[in-house]
Amino acid sequence: MHHYRISGWTLSAEMPLPHLFPCSAPEAGAVADITVRKGPVQAPTLPLRLNRDGIQVGADGRTVINVPDYVRIGLADGRDIMIDPGPGVSGPEIQTWLLGPGLGVICHQRGVVPLHACAIRTGNGGLAIVGNSGAGKSTTATALVQRGHRLLGDDVLVVDPDTGMAQPCFPMVKLWDSSRSALEIGQEGQQPVARKAGKWHVPMLAAFDPVPCPLSAIVYLRADPAAQRPVLTRWPRPHAAAVLDAMTYRAYLADALHGRRHVLSTAARLAARVPVWELVRTTDFKDLDEMLDMLERLAGD
């Protein structure tokens, strides 16, 4: 078995998962929090609670992710994962789905509400960057890493809503060709993101911090065609809670498994604990250095 640490949990897998942070095997008599195996995936139990985006949640909470011609992933009880890859599908392609929707399902099955966010450890705390797809979260986080900060995770972020403590996820970001070019990142060790031509898994093991970190701030990043320079604004708590609710990773999974009230409660508690800001940027990242200066000041560097 191969052993890893992800989002505060130990994971043991029958196959290597090179995008994850390795750790030692569980002590004798102990079991991993999450186990990944290969084998046939059973259909979820009827009636379905959810059937959306290739994800089906059964009556008992057991979930199946079906990516035609790529992989079927079965997930049960927040701890058991079964992977049934298609013919010729490689490990890196499987990890695209396992570490995105798969990790999201595991979180929601456990009652944990993750953010759709990147996270960075600065000198004095942590900074989470949320936003819609294409907002530039991963590009901004990678640029902060290039300034000497440490990566906590990309895409699916587990944060304790009562303490603001962020759990490190995995030492990798996903970047489009345009971002790799703008940040002058080479191609060594990179793997394509399945079904997304021009997007890449970029390993960042050397810049990864595996230690949990309290968040100093959460920043909602938004590109505005009318913006001439970056503008940073702190949101009042009710607005912040609504934004965190909207920025929950695949909140419909939590709705199916635990109900909408569970997501709203988590968002409100986190907004009461960690200040939430909006950062409006230009669409072409010409203001990137000024943005990074703002974020570093916000984080207390």
Side-chain angles (χ1 to χ4, degrees), residues 37-50:
R37 295 171 293 151
K38 280 188 177 181
V41 173
Q42 296 180 352
T45 305
L46 297 176
L48 296 178
R49 299 189 196 178
L50 176 78

Side-chain angles (χ1 to χ4, degrees), residues 63-181:
T63 302
V64 173
I65 301 171
N66 183 32
V67 188
D69 302 321
Y70 271 86
V71 67
R72 279 171 57 85
I73 303 175
L75 308 104
D77 303 321
R79 62 174 60 252
D80 296 317
I81 302 177
M82 187 70 74
I83 296 176
D84 187 5
V89 176
S90 67
E93 290 176 302
I94 293 172
Q95 287 185 85
T96 297
W97 310 105
L98 178 63
L99 303 183
L103 177 58
V105 169
I106 288 293
C107 290
H108 288 301
Q109 286 181 337
R110 286 176 168 266
V112 174
V113 179
L115 290 175
H116 186 201
C118 296
I120 296 292
R121 180 191 287 273
T122 66
N124 296 310
L127 184 70
I129 305 170
V130 300
N132 294 317
S133 296
K137 301 183 296 295
S138 299
T139 301
T140 303
T142 303
L144 285 167
V145 167
Q146 290 181 327
R147 284 195 172 195
H149 304 291
R150 308 282 290 175
L151 178 70
L152 289 172
D154 181 41
D155 206 26
V156 184
L157 181 67
V158 170
V159 183
D160 187 318
D162 299 313
T163 65
M165 189 69 71
Q167 292 290 344
C169 190
F170 42 74
M172 179 269 293
V173 297
K174 289 179 285 192
L175 293 176
W176 292 101
D177 281 331
S178 56
S179 294
R180 292 195 309 168
S181 176

